[in-house]
């Protein structure tokens, strides 16, 4: 496949740059997304091909502008909505709740 989702190492897109001593997670939310992936995958909510397909359906412009674990989160949200686990209304409601909470230090 030649799409925005498979650009790493392709000609004209530059080298894949790695951080020196890069941590597995740059923020706590990334760790949580990884945990959600493992839990969802382990329960059979989706298989790896379905997950990859969900990530590949991310809008190309958004895909380029977003991080690795944002791709995972978008894929998980897509599969949860398509599988009837989560509705868009529930997601929007929870996002509203979180935006009103005090930041945790």
């Amino acid at each position: 496949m030649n799409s925005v989702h498979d650009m790493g190492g392709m000609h004209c897109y530059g080298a894949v740059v790695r951080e020196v001593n890069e941590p597995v997670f740059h923020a706590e939310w990334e760790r949580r997304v990884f945990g959600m992936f493992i839990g969802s995958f382990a329960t059979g909510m989706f298989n790896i091909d379905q997950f990859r397909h969900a990530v590949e359906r991310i809008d190309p412009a958004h895909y380029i502008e977003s991080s690795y674990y944002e791709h995972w989160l978008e894929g998980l949200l897509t599969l949860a909505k398509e599988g009837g686990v989560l509705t868009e209304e529930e997601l929007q409601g929870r996002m509203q709740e979180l935006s009103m909470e005090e930041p945790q230090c």
Side-chain angles (χ1 to χ4, degrees):
M1 168 182 269
N2 277 334
S3 73
V4 68
H5 308 92
D6 292 310
M7 289 178 12
M10 289 178 65
H11 290 296
C12 303
Y13 291 101
V16 175
V17 179
R18 295 182 63 197
E19 280 181 52
V20 176
N21 300 318
E22 182 174 12
V24 175
F25 306 106
H26 289 87
E28 181 59 30
W29 72 267
E30 293 177 340
R31 182 184 311 273
R32 291 180 185 190
V33 168
F34 182 78
M36 290 179 353
F37 170 84
I38 296 297
S40 301
F41 183 76
T43 62
M45 185 176 126
F46 57 85
N47 64 42
I48 201 67
D49 294 324
Q50 291 169 310
F51 180 71
R52 179 179 171 122
H53 184 244
V55 170
E56 288 173 344
R57 289 184 280 152
I58 297 171
D59 177 72
H62 178 63
Y63 185 90
I64 290 171
E65 295 172 350
S66 56
S67 71
Y68 183 74
Y69 284 107
E70 285 178 90
H71 302 161
W72 282 42
L73 180 57
E74 289 288 329
L76 287 170
L77 290 174
T78 295
L79 292 168
K81 288 187 272 185
E82 290 175 355
V85 175
L86 177 70
T87 67
E88 184 64 31
E89 292 76 25
E90 290 170 327
L91 175 61
Q92 293 302 320
R94 183 62 177 137
M95 288 172 60
Q96 177 77 23
E97 289 172 13
L98 290 171
S99 71
M100 295 170 35
E101 287 182 9
E102 291 290 322
Q104 297 179 4
C105 300

